[in-house]
Amino acid sequence: VQLQASGGGLVQAGGSLRLSCAASGRTFSDYGMGWFRQAPGKEREFVAAITWSGSSTYYADSVKGRFTISRDNAKNTVYLQMDNLKPEDTALYHCAAQLGLATMSRDDYEYWGQGTQVTVSS
C-alpha cells in the first residue's frame, strides 16, 4: 500500500485543519488505518485509528473530543478532522495502514506515508 498524506499547514490556536491520506496499490477496505504524529525531539505517538469498515474509532486522550477520524473506502482515503487546535498539536503527521486491524501501537502498522506538517501558533 502506498500512502500520500496532505492537508497540513500553519494555523492559529483554536483553528481547524483536515488532513487526508490517499491510498493506492492494494484493496483499501482490507486495511485498518491510523494517524500518528512526531514532534521534534519526541517519539512518534498515536493520534487516532479506524477499522476497515469505519465502524470503530480510537483516539489518544490528548485529542479526544477535538479530532475526528473517518474514511471513504470508495475514494481510498482516510481523513483526520482537527478542531480547536493547540500549539502542542504541532508535529509531522503520518498516516499508516495495517492489514485487518486498527490498533494504537505504531509497531503494528506495516505501511507509512511520508507525513504532512501541522504547525499551530499561539
Side-chain angles (χ1 to χ4, degrees):
V1 177
Q2 289 79 48
L3 303 173
Q4 180 73 41
S6 62
L10 174 63
V11 64
Q12 288 188 332
S16 298
L17 283 173
R18 188 175 83 152
L19 306 184
S20 299
C21 175
S24 62
R26 298 285 179 94
T27 304
F28 181 66
S29 58
D30 287 344
Y31 289 82
M33 300 296 296
W35 285 97
F36 292 77
R37 66 187 182 186
Q38 187 166 18
K42 295 188 176 181
E43 291 191 353
R44 190 171 297 187
E45 65 175 5
F46 170 76
V47 176
I50 187 167
T51 54
W52 67 271
S53 65
S55 60
S56 295
T57 56
Y58 310 92
Y59 297 94
D61 288 343
S62 59
V63 307
K64 206 170 289 184
R66 300 187 298 121
F67 290 12
T68 304
I69 188 171
S70 62
R71 66 189 295 160
D72 185 339
N73 286 344
K75 295 183 178 179
N76 291 349
T77 302
V78 62
Y79 304 98
L80 185 69
Q81 177 66 41
M82 305 186 294
D83 298 319
N84 191 20
L85 282 160
K86 303 176 180 181
E88 51 263 43
D89 295 317
T90 295
L92 186 64
Y93 283 70
H94 298 267
C95 57
Q98 62 170 290
L99 191 62
L101 300 176
T103 62
M104 294 186 284
S105 172
R106 64 178 185 263
D107 293 337
D108 294 334
Y109 288 81
E110 304 163 78
Y111 304 98
W112 291 83
Q114 85 293 353
T116 185
Q117 179 66 39
V118 172
T119 303
V120 184
S121 63
S122 57

